[in-house]
Each structure stands twice: as C-alpha cells, then as structure tokens.
Amino acid sequence: MSENGFGGVVDGWVENVDTMLSPQQDARTKKLRTRTAAERRQAYDHKAVGAIAPRFLEELAEADARKAEGDARFKELSARLSGSGEEPEADGDSSDGEDESEEVVLTVEELAQLTAELAKVKKARTKAAAGIKRLEADFHRYPYPSDPPTLGEEPPGLFRAREELDAEGERRDQVNVNPSRLRELEIHLPADLAEQRRIVATLEACDEQIGRENSELNKLRELMLGLVDDLLSGQVAVAAVAA
C-alpha cells in the first residue's frame, strides 16, 4: 500500500464528501449554487460518513423522525379544522352512484382545543426543522477555514470526526505498543541479504506502478470533468459525444 495507507483512503473519502456538500458552480450563470436537500442527503449516504461520523447520522435520523411525525400530525389536524378530516361514507342505497359526506360540526370548545393543539404541533415542527438545519450546519460549512480566517475557529463535524479518528489511532498505538511488548515479538526476516534486496526492489516497483496508475487516473478525471463542463455549457453536443 502507498505511504499514506488507510489514512490516505479516508482522507480521499472525506474530500469527496466535502465536495458533495460544498456549493457547486452553475454551468449557466457561473455562480455558486447551494446544494439541495436531496444532494446533501446523497452525501450523507457516503460510506465515509457512516464510518467516521455514525453519531451524526443517528441524530439526523432522530430529527427526521420527529419532523415527519410533526408533519403527519399537522396535516391531520389541519384537515379536521377545515372540516375535511373524515372520509366520506359510501351510501349503498344511492342510485346515482355518488358518495355524500357529512360536514363535521365542531363546538366552540372543540374548535379552541383543536386550534391550540395545531399551534403546538406547528411549533414542534418548526423546532424539529431548526434542529435538522443546526445538525447539518455543524457537520459541514463552506468555506472552511473561513475567509478571512477566524482565530480559534472550530472545524465542522466532518473534519472533527476525521481528526478524532487519528487521535483514537494514536491512543490505541500508545496503549498497545511499548518496548516490553516489542521485545516479545518475533520478526522473521530472510537471512539472505540478496533476497531482502529483491523484496525491497519488488515493493519499490509496486509503489512506482501505483504512482503511474494514480497519475493516469487523475488525468482521466480531469478529462471527464472538462467534458462534463463542455456538455453542460453547450459547447459540445451530446450527439457528438455519443457518436
């Protein structure tokens, strides 16, 4: 594996999520466009978020559930208040085939109680929506770091989770690796110096091959991004690409 190892893979994931959440340049206006709710949710589905920030996903799911429950209750109460909450009952003796619904008549007391409950549910919905917005804002913000930089600025949740992953790994290494345990380890090495050199040469050749493959992959990505930009801007016709 390359010198960055698994940490480099995680960094790549975090960078992808950051890109998916950051504003995107509009191909027509060339202005930055804030990501839609659907686009943000797609970013949260990235495996990196589930791996390094599971608590964020749990809190977001709980907030979503509260918001959905409030929406359903608000719809139900609104329908009752407008007199359309009851489903019309079919009249089996009706000869013209039409259903008739009986208007629900509320007393003054019932109306007041329903109105008060509706206001309470509306407040809860607003609070739930604000909670979702607060969670998302804490998880990611653009730009980070701020421009101009802010002294003592705390990183958003996405980057905090990445830093905590490094800190946890360092703590684990400090606990599990110490001189006494190292002296107990048996490390098998090829006795032949020439064989050791052949192994080193093979590993170096693999690293060089990985570097060449990564360089080629980056070129292909740049080419793809340029082509997508040309397609979106209308400089290249879709039919021409398909041909």
Side-chain angles (χ1 to χ4, degrees), residues 11-27:
D11 288 337
W13 289 349
V14 171
E15 184 179 350
N16 288 341
V17 175
D18 180 40
T19 301
M20 295 170 70
L21 292 173
S22 297
Q24 183 183 40
Q25 186 181 50
D26 188 277

Side-chain angles (χ1 to χ4, degrees), residues 175-186:
V175 171
N176 294 334
V177 179
N178 56 64
S180 298
R181 293 190 177 185
L182 285 175
R183 283 192 290 268
E184 296 173 358
L185 296 177
E186 293 184 2

Side-chain angles (χ1 to χ4, degrees), residues 119-197:
K120 183 179 179 180
V121 171
K122 184 177 180 180
K123 184 177 180 180
R125 289 174 67 233
T126 302
K127 183 178 180 180
I132 294 173
K133 187 175 182 180
R134 185 169 56 254
L135 281 171
E136 292 190 283
D138 178 70
F139 184 73
H140 183 272
R141 64 177 178 271
Y142 178 87
Y144 173 75
S146 300
D147 187 19
T150 302
L151 183 63
E153 180 180 15
E154 184 179 4
L158 174 63
F159 297 104
R160 288 201 308 272
R162 178 65 185 96
E163 293 174 358
E164 290 169 1
L165 186 65
D166 283 339
E168 181 181 352
E170 291 175 2
R171 288 194 299 270
R172 185 168 56 247
D173 292 342
Q174 292 172 0
V175 171
N176 294 334
V177 179
N178 56 64
S180 298
R181 293 190 177 185
L182 285 175
R183 283 192 290 268
E184 296 173 358
L185 296 177
E186 293 184 2
I187 302 176
H188 299 280
L189 296 174
D192 186 6
L193 182 60
E195 184 177 356
Q196 294 181 22
R197 289 174 176 171

Side-chain angles (χ1 to χ4, degrees), residues 32-109:
L32 292 180
R33 176 185 63 81
T34 303
R35 296 290 185 170
T36 64
E39 289 174 328
R40 295 196 304 272
R41 293 307 171 116
Q42 185 178 5
Y44 301 151
D45 287 337
H46 194 285
K47 54 189 174 184
V49 180
I52 69 175
R55 183 55 186 164
F56 163 72
L57 294 181
E58 292 173 3
E59 293 178 348
L60 186 62
E62 292 171 359
D64 284 338
R66 289 192 295 269
K67 177 66 165 54
E69 182 180 357
D71 289 342
R73 184 59 176 162
F74 183 82
K75 183 177 180 181
E76 176 189 351
L77 294 174
S78 298
R80 289 175 56 189
L81 190 62
S82 64
S84 59
E86 297 290 335
E87 290 291 335
E89 296 181 0
D91 184 0
D93 298 329
S94 177
S95 58
D96 55 8
E98 295 182 356
D99 294 337
E100 295 181 358
S101 59
E102 182 179 350
E103 182 179 356
V104 179
V105 180
L106 301 175
T107 65
V108 175
E109 182 179 353

Side-chain angles (χ1 to χ4, degrees), residues 209-237:
Q209 180 65 26
I210 291 173
R212 288 192 294 268
E213 295 290 344
N214 285 334
S215 177
E216 185 67 22
L217 180 60
N218 290 333
K219 292 179 181 178
L220 292 173
R221 285 174 175 168
E222 292 177 1
L223 178 62
M224 181 192 69
L225 291 175
L227 180 58
V228 170
D229 187 61
D230 289 341
L231 288 172
L232 294 176
S233 61
Q235 297 181 13
V236 176

